[in-house]
Amino acid sequence: MRLKTSLLKEPKHKELVSCVGWTTADELYSCSDDHQILKWNLLTSETTRVVKLPDDTYPIDLHWLPRSVGGKKQSQAESFVLTSSDGKFHLISKVGRVEKSVEAHSGAVLAGRWNSEGTALATVGEDGQVKIWSKSGMLRSTLAQQGTPVYSVAWGPDSEKVLYTSGKQLIIKPLQPNVKVLQWKAHDGLILKTDWNSVNELILSAGEDCKYKVWDSYGHLLYSSQPHEYPITSVAWSGDGELFAVGSFHTLRLCDKTGWSYALEKPNTGSIFNIAWSVDGTQLAGACGNGHVIFAHVVEQRWEWKNFEITLIKRRTMQVHNVINDAVDLLEFRDRVIKASLNYGHLVVSTSLQCYIFSTNNWNTPLIFDLKEGTVTLILQAERHFLLVDGGGLYLYSYEGRLISSPKFPGMRTDILNAQTVSLSNDTLAVKDKADEKVICIFDAISGKPLGDGKSLTHKTEIVEIALDQKGLTNERKIAFIDKNRDLYITSVKRFGKEQKIIKIGTMVQTLAWNDTSNLLCGIQDTRFTVWYYPNTVYVDKDLLTKTLYEKDASDFSKNPQIVHFVGNQITIRRADGSLIHVNISPYPVILHEYVSSSKWEDAVRLCRFVKDQTMWACLAAMAVANKDMATAEIAYASIGEIDKVQYINSIKDLPSKESRMAHILLFSGNTQEAETLLLQTGLIYQAIQVNINLYNWDRALELAVKHKTHVDTVLAYRQKFLEDFGKKETNKRFLQYAEGLEVDWNKIKAKIEMEIAKERERAAASATVRASVTVQQ
C-alpha cells in the first residue's frame, strides 16, 4: 500500500495553508493566512473562492459538522466551525456566509472539534482553557484551565470524554464532574497534535520531539516512532480506523493502525500543518506551509486468498494474479474502489455507488447492484453470503446479489463497527453492542431476527473482540470472545431460557481467528501461539482440553502480533513491524474434523492410528462423546490411557434402556441437569434419584423422592450410610423430619432397586420390539 500524491505547479494560496476539510468525497475547503477560503472540486479540477475573511482574521482550524448520525442525514451539516487567531470561532455556511462569530478565548483559538453526533463543540486556546459549546455556539462549560496553551483537542468515541494536550502531557477529561481524570506524560517535547478514533478507540499524538505515538484509551503506549528530522506537525485517523497519516516538514507518511509505516513521501510542501481524510477513506488532503494543498490517494492495497493475489493498482483498476498459472486479469470499475474483501472463492468490491461480486472461477462477468448509501465501511464474508456495513445499517447479501436481511437493534451505531466487533457465519451474525460493551447481540442471518429466545449474550466484563465459528449446524454454533482482561471465552449462540455456560479456555489472549473450513481456533496467548484443535471439548470433557492443544513459542512474532487469516492449515500473522509470517500446522486435525462431520468413525480411528499422536486421539475422544458414539470414544480414551473413563463407558453400555445410556452420556459430559430432565421425562424416576445420590446431591434426591412419592426410604438409607462412613451425625432438618421413626431395611431397599432395574429392562425390551415391528412394516 502506498500514497499517490499530487501538487499543483503553482500554489492557489499566497500564504501558508492552516487547515483543510472535506465536504464530500470529491470536494474540499482550505483556509489560509491570505484570509481566503477556497473550494476544491476534484472531479472538475476547479478551485473557487468561497469567501475572503477580514484582514485581522487568521484561520487556524476547521471542522465540518458531521454529515450523518446513526445513518440519518443532518439538516445543518452544510456548515463548519473555523477557529482564528483573534480569540473567536466562526460558524460558517457552505456558501461562505458567517452565521455566527463567538468570542471564545483570550488569544488564539488553536483548535475546534465537533463531537460525533454534532451536538457539541470543543474549543481550546492559547489561554489554556478547554471549553464546550452547544451546536448554536452557546457556552455550556469551561472543562479545564491549564497554565499553558492547549494546541489540540479530540472527542472520545462515546462523546463523553475530551482528550487535550498540556505541554508534554495528554489529558483525558470526562464531561461529568467528579469523574477521574486520566493524565500522562506522552512526549519529551511539546505535543502539537492529537486524534482519537471512534472505531478502534486508539489515540494518536505528535510532538516537537519529532515522534508520533499510538496509545490505547487507558494511556498505554502501543507504538512509538523513531525520531524524524523535524517536529511532527499533524496526525489524522482515517474514518474506519485502519490507517492514519502523519505530516511533517516535506514529509507525508501513511501508517497502519498499529503504528508501522506503509509508505513515506517527500513532497515539496514545507510543513504540513493539518491533514483531513475524505469521508470514504480513500484519499487525504494536507494543508502546506508553502501555500499548497497536497492531495494523496491510497493505492496498491493488496488482498490474498489461497492462490489469488489482488492489487488495487489505480483508483478504479484492480489486478488479479493467479500464482499457480501466472495468469493476470484486470478488473475495471466505473467509480473509485472504496472497500474490498476476498474470501470463500469470491471477491466483493464496493465503489462509491455500486457493489461488484466476482467469482474466482470467472473474473469476466461480475454481479453488480446499486448501493443505498455510498460509503461502505466494512465488508465481512462467510461461505454462503456477505455483510455490508455503512452509515445506515447492516445488510446481508447472497453471492447472487440478493438482499437477505438487514438486522437492527436499539441504539445500533454502524459507523463504529469493525472486523473485531462484528462476526458472520453461514447462519448467524454477532454484533458487539457499543451502548453496553458487555453485551453481544446475536441474529439469525437469514431472517435478521434475534436468535434463540431473543436475549443478548451478556458477559461480566467489557468485551474487546468476537468471532463465530464457521462450520457445523446452527444449534452447535459457538462464539469465542476476548474480554478486557484478555481472557478468552467460548459459548453457544443458541440460547433458550436456561443460562448458557460461558467457559474460559485461554488467558492473556491478544488476537484470535477461526479456521475457514473446520472449527479449529487459533490465538496468541502471551508468549505462546496456541491452536485449539477442538474447542468444543470444554462442553464434553474439560479434563481433555489441554490434551487437544497445539502450542508453539511466539517470541519470534515480536510484540502485539495480529492474526490475519486461518485458511486450511496455514495461519498468516502480521508482526508489529508490518511483516507477514506464515505458520503451518498439521493437516491431520482438519481431516479428522471432516471424517467426524461425515460420521466416518472407522476412517477417523484409522487416521489416528496412522498419525500416532496423543492430541489427535484426545480430539477424537471428545468428538465421539459429543456425537454419542461411545464405541469410538472407548477406543480413543484407551489410546490416551484414560482407563477410568473407559470403565465408565463400559458401564454405560451395560445399562438396559436407551434413555439411561443417553442420560449417563450427558453425565459423562458434566450435564447433570440435562441428564436428570431426560430421566424424569421418560418416567425413570428412581434412576433420576440415583443419579443425585451418586453425585451426593442429597437435597435434590430427597426432593424428587418426596415429590414423586417413591424411594424416600432409599434416599434416607444411602444418606445414613454416607454419614456413618464419615463418622458424622445428621444435621439437615428435612432429613431429620423424614427419618423420624423410620427403620432402614437394606434387604427391602435392595429388592426395590432390583425391581426398578427389572422394570427398566422390560420397558427397554418392549420398546425394542415396537421399533423392530415398525422397521418390518416399513
Side-chain angles (χ1 to χ4, degrees):
M1 198 184 297
R2 66 179 183 85
L3 287 173
K4 187 179 179 184
T5 58
S6 60
L7 271 175
L8 296 175
K9 283 182 182 174
E10 292 296 323
K12 293 284 184 180
H13 286 287
K14 297 181 181 67
E15 300 284 339
L16 75 80
V17 182
S18 56
C19 49
V20 288
W22 298 86
T23 56
T24 66
D26 298 300
E27 189 177 82
L28 179 96
Y29 278 48
S30 63
C31 303
S32 163
D33 277 4
D34 63 5
H35 314 292
Q36 309 268 8
I37 298 180
L38 299 184
K39 179 167 77 176
W40 304 68
N41 188 320
L42 270 65
L43 295 175
T44 59
S45 301
E46 288 178 356
T47 311
T48 52
R49 189 172 85 175
V50 178
V51 67
K52 186 180 186 302
L53 299 167
D55 287 347
D56 59 346
T57 303
Y58 290 87
I60 297 175
D61 194 21
L62 171 161
H63 194 215
W64 283 89
L65 199 69
R67 291 182 63 77
S68 63
V69 178
K72 293 175 186 169
K73 290 245 184 314
Q74 292 264 71
S75 56
Q76 294 170 285
E78 303 294 299
S79 63
F80 61 92
V81 62
L82 183 73
T83 70
S84 56
S85 58
D86 56 5
K88 295 178 184 175
F89 70 80
H90 314 273
L91 300 177
I92 303 175
S93 72
K94 193 175 180 180
V95 293
R97 188 171 64 252
V98 179
E99 306 286 356
K100 193 170 190 178
S101 293
V102 179
E103 290 276 359
H105 293 264
S106 303
V109 185
L110 298 174
R113 281 288 174 271
W114 295 106
N115 66 1
S116 58
E117 291 85 28
T119 53
L121 172 71
T123 62
V124 294
E126 278 184 327
D127 56 4
Q129 292 188 336
V130 180
K131 293 184 177 181
I132 308 297
W133 309 80
S134 73
K135 193 173 182 176
S136 57
M138 303 293 289
L139 181 64
R140 283 185 182 165
S141 66
T142 301
L143 197 66
Q145 171 71 65
Q146 302 291 124
T148 55
V150 180
Y151 285 94
S152 188
V153 66
W155 286 89
D158 54 5
S159 297
E160 295 294 322
K161 303 183 195 79
V162 169
L163 165 74
Y164 57 92
T165 67
S166 174
K168 300 173 185 180
Q169 309 266 329
L170 281 176
I171 301 171
I172 296 176
K173 184 155 187 183
L175 297 187
Q176 287 89 2
N178 307 322
V179 180
K180 191 181 173 188
V181 175
L182 184 63
Q183 180 171 345
W184 70 97
K185 186 188 175 189
H187 287 262
D188 295 323
L190 199 66
I191 301 172
L192 300 175
K193 272 284 183 343
T194 187
D195 196 10
W196 197 349
N197 187 264
S198 58
V199 179
N200 61 32
E201 300 190 5
L202 299 179
I203 292 166
L204 289 175
S205 64
E208 286 191 343
D209 59 358
C210 306
K211 291 180 181 179
Y212 64 87
K213 298 185 181 185
V214 184
W215 311 84
D216 69 11
S217 52
Y218 304 102
H220 301 135
L221 181 66
L222 302 179
Y223 182 86
S224 175
S225 73
Q226 294 298 315
H228 288 56
E229 285 181 75
Y230 301 99
I232 309 290
T233 47
S234 55
V235 283
W237 283 109
S238 65
D240 62 6
E242 291 299 314
L243 304 169
F244 66 87
V246 177
S248 181
F249 182 75
H250 288 342
T251 303
L252 182 63
R253 191 184 280 277
L254 177 69
C255 300
D256 184 77
K257 64 181 176 188
T258 52
W260 54 272
S261 181
Y262 275 111
L264 174 65
E265 299 291 326
K266 288 285 188 179
N268 182 25
T269 55
S271 290
I272 299 176
F273 290 111
N274 180 240
I275 293 172
W277 284 84
S278 63
V279 184
D280 57 18
T282 60
Q283 56 192 333
L284 57 92
C288 308
N290 60 2
H292 275 293
V293 172
I294 185 169
F295 292 94
H297 299 279
V298 179
V299 291
E300 290 185 19
Q301 282 171 280
R302 192 172 275 111
W303 297 267
E304 291 172 2
W305 181 76
K306 291 193 175 175
N307 53 301
F308 291 101
E309 186 183 61
I310 295 177
T311 311
L312 182 70
I313 52 173
K314 294 178 186 170
R315 282 186 285 166
R316 297 188 179 97
T317 309
M318 280 180 159
Q319 179 181 285
V320 181
H321 180 206
N322 185 340
V323 296
I324 289 177
N325 57 16
D326 235 17
V328 173
D329 288 278
L330 284 181
L331 312 178
E332 298 280 352
F333 301 94
R334 194 184 72 186
D335 309 291
R336 72 169 165 273
V337 172
I338 292 174
K339 284 278 173 198
S341 176
L342 175 64
N343 216 333
Y344 296 105
H346 290 91
L347 170 69
V348 181
V349 180
S350 78
T351 67
S352 50
L353 297 170
Q354 293 175 311
C355 180
Y356 294 73
I357 306 163
F358 296 87
S359 167
T360 53
N361 300 322
N362 178 10
W363 297 106
N364 300 320
T365 51
L367 277 153
I368 306 169
F369 61 88
D370 292 336
L371 294 169
K372 291 179 182 176
E373 188 169 311
T375 310
V376 170
T377 54
L378 180 66
I379 303 173
L380 281 184
Q381 286 180 261
E383 190 180 12
R384 293 181 196 155
H385 43 237
F386 64 93
L387 177 77
L388 291 184
V389 181
D390 65 19
L394 305 166
Y395 306 99
L396 264 161
Y397 287 92
S398 70
Y399 287 113
E400 289 78 46
R402 179 174 54 84
L403 179 65
I404 299 169
S405 65
S406 180
K408 289 182 174 63
F409 60 90
M412 180 172 79
R413 274 190 65 188
T414 54
D415 56 324
I416 52 175
L417 296 176
N418 62 10
Q420 282 71 49
T421 54
V422 191
S423 187
L424 179 68
S425 73
N426 281 338
D427 42 50
T428 312
L429 172 69
V431 184
K432 190 179 93 169
D433 188 350
K434 193 68 185 173
D436 183 352
E437 302 213 3
K438 298 175 184 176
V439 172
I440 302 171
C441 300
I442 299 171
F443 301 94
D444 181 291
I446 307 306
S447 66
K449 292 176 181 170
L451 204 62
D453 56 9
K455 289 180 183 173
S456 301
L457 190 158
T458 307
H459 187 50
K460 56 181 185 281
T461 54
E462 287 92 342
I463 293 163
V464 176
E465 186 172 346
I466 64 175
L468 286 161
D469 66 11
Q470 295 298 311
K471 302 303 280 186
L473 304 170
T474 313
N475 56 1
E476 293 169 6
R477 180 75 54 236
K478 298 287 185 291
I479 185 167
F481 61 86
I482 302 171
D483 69 9
K484 196 171 77 172
N485 302 324
R486 290 283 155 193
D487 291 329
L488 173 62
Y489 291 84
I490 188 169
T491 187
S492 174
V493 299
K494 272 275 189 181
R495 310 170 79 75
F496 286 101
K498 64 177 189 222
E499 196 59 38
Q500 290 287 331
K501 289 181 189 168
I502 299 177
I503 303 177
K504 181 156 81 170
I505 61 169
T507 55
M508 296 303 291
V509 180
Q510 300 161 43
T511 174
L512 81 159
W514 287 97
N515 185 269
D516 66 332
T517 53
S518 304
N519 287 338
L520 280 70
L521 178 67
C522 70
I524 295 172
Q525 296 192 87
D526 204 8
T527 56
R528 299 186 322 281
F529 169 71
T530 308
V531 181
W532 289 264
Y533 283 149
Y534 188 55
N536 203 35
T537 305
V538 288
Y539 288 97
V540 178
D541 184 351
K542 257 189 192 174
D543 305 338
L544 275 186
L545 185 66
T546 52
K547 295 182 179 179
T548 61
L549 302 182
Y550 165 77
E551 291 194 309
K552 177 183 187 297
D553 180 48
S555 52
D556 296 351
F557 303 159
S558 76
K559 193 183 170 191
N560 293 331
Q562 291 293 314
I563 297 171
V564 182
H565 300 298
F566 186 5
V567 178
N569 63 318
Q570 189 181 73
I571 297 118
T572 306
I573 296 166
R574 194 181 288 283
R575 296 184 1 158
D577 61 1
S579 59
L580 290 173
I581 298 174
H582 300 285
V583 178
N584 284 306
I585 60 164
S586 166
Y588 297 122
V590 174
I591 299 168
L592 184 65
H593 273 271
E594 286 170 9
Y595 282 152
V596 170
S597 63
S598 310
S599 299
K600 295 179 179 175
W601 295 105
E602 288 179 10
D603 290 344
V605 170
R606 258 198 301 275
L607 176 69
C608 290
R609 282 180 177 145
F610 168 73
V611 177
K612 293 179 182 146
D613 179 15
Q614 293 284 292
T615 311
M616 291 283 285
W617 280 115
C619 289
L620 181 59
M623 290 170 174
V625 175
N627 287 276
K628 316 287 188 290
D629 190 309
M630 301 318 280
T632 307
E634 190 180 351
I635 297 166
Y637 275 114
S639 301
I640 53 174
E642 299 269 358
I643 305 305
D644 55 334
K645 288 173 184 173
V646 173
Q647 287 171 338
Y648 187 73
I649 290 166
N650 270 320
S651 71
I652 292 173
K653 284 156 87 178
D654 294 337
L655 291 168
S657 69
K658 183 187 171 186
E659 291 81 6
S660 272
R661 289 194 291 276
M662 284 293 292
H664 280 79
I665 291 168
L666 287 167
L667 279 174
F668 185 89
S669 303
N671 299 317
T672 315
Q673 190 61 51
E674 286 91 330
E676 184 197 284
T677 306
L678 175 65
L679 290 168
L680 292 173
Q681 281 173 349
T682 50
L684 299 171
I685 310 301
Y686 166 68
Q687 283 79 353
I689 293 168
Q690 189 64 51
V691 160
N692 283 292
I693 290 171
N694 292 344
L695 294 168
Y696 306 117
N697 291 342
W698 298 109
D699 287 326
R700 180 61 181 159
L702 184 61
E703 186 187 326
L704 287 173
V706 171
K707 183 181 176 183
H708 294 281
K709 298 176 184 171
T710 180
H711 287 283
V712 176
D713 55 342
T714 308
V715 178
L716 294 170
Y718 275 106
R719 170 78 170 181
Q720 196 176 322
K721 188 176 182 300
F722 168 75
L723 292 170
E724 281 170 6
D725 289 346
F726 286 92
K728 292 190 174 183
K729 285 193 169 184
E730 184 61 80
T731 54
N732 189 309
K733 286 181 182 175
R734 287 203 72 195
F735 277 91
L736 286 168
Q737 177 193 337
Y738 284 102
E740 207 173 299
L742 186 79
E743 284 293 322
V744 172
D745 184 347
W746 273 104
N747 291 327
K748 200 172 168 185
I749 286 165
K750 280 174 184 171
K752 276 173 77 176
I753 292 169
E754 281 169 12
M755 204 161 81
E756 289 286 357
I757 294 166
K759 262 200 287 186
E760 190 183 349
R761 281 206 178 97
E762 281 171 28
R763 280 182 56 175
S767 62
T769 308
V770 170
R771 278 199 300 273
S773 65
V774 168
T775 309
V776 168
Q777 284 169 11
Q778 285 175 343

